[in-house]
């Protein structure tokens, strides 16, 4: 999942981010309510993890803005030391999906996170014991970095394979260039921009993601890329 973490305590933010990344998720950390509200306007997150007491709009304000102004149904988990029954009920009534108390208890938080993930239903199924996943009719062999497309197969480079899996995990969802670079190359730098475009060109050719194919990999101008079915356009 692509997760937004609202936490103004640097040490705790680093701890939660590390835990989420060990689970295989990508994470962007925000230290104020204003910062995450601005990001929500253009970045489609799969999950929000919100602290209650932060600078600017608090976690509850962010939740209300997400549900009422933006009309987003993205799942929300509160991670907070404010465990008074009245506040918990207030958050749940405002649209929160779950809550977890501080100090962080990693096993409990991970269990709640996985429950949300199961409800979301990923586009690519979890890897089988043989190291294979499937999405959009394409089968991804993780161990061999091979993609099977019906009776055809193609072996990809490491970065190509990671990029392809990210795209098929987010079918019909715009993905920001910054998110792609962070996920595939581990950093967001302008110098990677051309490298990303070259890898996209390779995937279009190798996986038949161009015009006339079953899937099309489209440019979302000023933002990133989007994988869509058939003849759909942006």
């Amino acid at each position: 999942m692509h997760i937004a973490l609202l936490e103004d305590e640097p040490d705790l933010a680093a701890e939660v981010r590390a835990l989420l990344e060990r689970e295989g998720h990508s994470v962007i950390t925000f230290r104020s309510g204003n910062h995450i509200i601005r990001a929500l306007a253009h970045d489609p997150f799969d999950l929000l993890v919100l602290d209650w007491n932060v600078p600017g709009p608090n976690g509850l304000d962010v939740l209300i803005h997400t549900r009422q102004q933006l009309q987003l149904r993205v799942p929300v988990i509160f991670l907070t030391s404010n465990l008074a029954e009245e506040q918990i009920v207030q958050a749940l009534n405002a649209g929160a999906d779950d809550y977890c108390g501080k100090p962080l208890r990693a096993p409990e938080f991970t269990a709640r996170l996985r429950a949300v993930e199961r409800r979301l239903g990923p586009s690519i199924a979890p890897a089988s014991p043989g190291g294979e996943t499937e999405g959009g009719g394409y089968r991804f062999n993780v161990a061999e970095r091979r993609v099977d497309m019906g009776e055809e197969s193609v072996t990809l480079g490491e970065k190509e394979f990671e990029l392809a899996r990210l795209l098929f995990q987010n079918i019909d969802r715009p993905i920001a260039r910054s998110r792609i670079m962070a996920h595939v190359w581990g950093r967001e730098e302008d110098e990677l921009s051309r490298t990303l475009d070259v890898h996209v060109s390779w995937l279009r050719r190798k996986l038949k993601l161009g015009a006339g194919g079953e899937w099309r990999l489209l440019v979302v101008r000023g933002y990133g890329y989007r994988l869509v079915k058939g003849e759909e356009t942006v």
Side-chain angles (χ1 to χ4, degrees), residues 1-227:
M1 293 186 290
H2 183 41
I3 299 175
L5 169 63
L6 176 61
E7 176 57 65
D8 65 327
E9 299 178 30
D11 290 344
L12 180 58
E15 181 182 358
V16 175
R17 178 168 185 159
L19 188 156
L20 293 170
E21 289 178 342
R22 285 198 300 271
E23 289 290 308
H25 307 295
S26 64
V27 184
I28 297 180
T29 303
F30 303 91
R31 294 188 178 182
S32 80
N34 285 321
H35 290 160
I36 192 172
I37 284 174
R38 284 197 292 269
L40 286 168
H42 60 77
D43 201 344
F45 292 99
D46 299 308
L47 172 70
L48 309 184
V49 179
L50 305 179
D51 184 13
W52 190 293
N53 297 310
V54 295
N58 64 30
L60 182 63
D61 295 330
V62 172
L63 171 61
I64 292 172
H65 179 82
T66 301
R67 295 289 187 251
Q68 296 184 5
Q69 272 67 51
L70 300 179
Q71 298 288 304
L72 297 177
R73 296 306 308 162
V74 56
V76 173
I77 297 177
F78 267 91
L79 180 60
T80 178
S81 57
N82 191 347
L83 293 178
E85 182 178 357
E86 180 181 347
Q87 277 70 37
I88 293 172
V89 171
Q90 190 177 8
L92 294 174
N93 284 339
D97 296 86
D98 209 340
Y99 67 90
C100 198
K102 295 180 182 178
L104 179 68
R105 296 183 292 275
E108 176 189 351
F109 181 64
T110 301
R112 293 178 185 274
L113 181 76
R114 289 174 178 171
V116 170
E117 191 174 12
R118 287 193 296 271
R119 291 198 297 271
L120 284 176
S123 298
I124 290 184
S128 69
E132 290 191 350
T133 62
E134 187 170 354
Y138 286 47
R139 182 171 294 276
F140 294 78
N141 185 303
V142 179
E144 299 179 13
R145 295 201 300 270
R146 189 185 74 241
V147 181
D148 298 326
M149 306 170 287
E151 297 181 356
E152 297 183 55
S153 296
V154 60
T155 300
L156 301 176
E158 178 184 355
K159 302 305 183 186
E160 291 175 304
F161 189 83
E162 288 302 315
L163 175 56
R165 293 193 70 217
L166 178 64
L167 292 167
F168 277 92
Q169 285 169 339
N170 292 275
I171 289 173
D172 202 35
R173 299 183 61 199
I175 311 177
R177 295 177 69 89
S178 58
R179 179 187 173 189
I180 295 173
M181 289 186 286
H183 180 88
V184 177
W185 285 274
R187 63 190 194 278
E188 304 170 23
E189 298 177 5
D190 290 341
E191 66 186 44
L192 288 173
S193 185
R194 177 56 181 163
T195 301
L196 169 58
D197 293 336
V198 169
H199 279 69
V200 165
S201 178
W202 289 343
L203 285 188
R204 282 197 179 109
R205 175 172 52 83
K206 293 181 179 181
L207 300 186
K208 301 181 179 179
L209 304 179
E214 182 180 1
W215 296 98
R216 296 185 65 193
L217 180 51
L218 305 177
V219 174
V220 181
R221 288 183 176 82
Y223 187 72
Y225 291 96
R226 177 177 170 224
L227 183 67

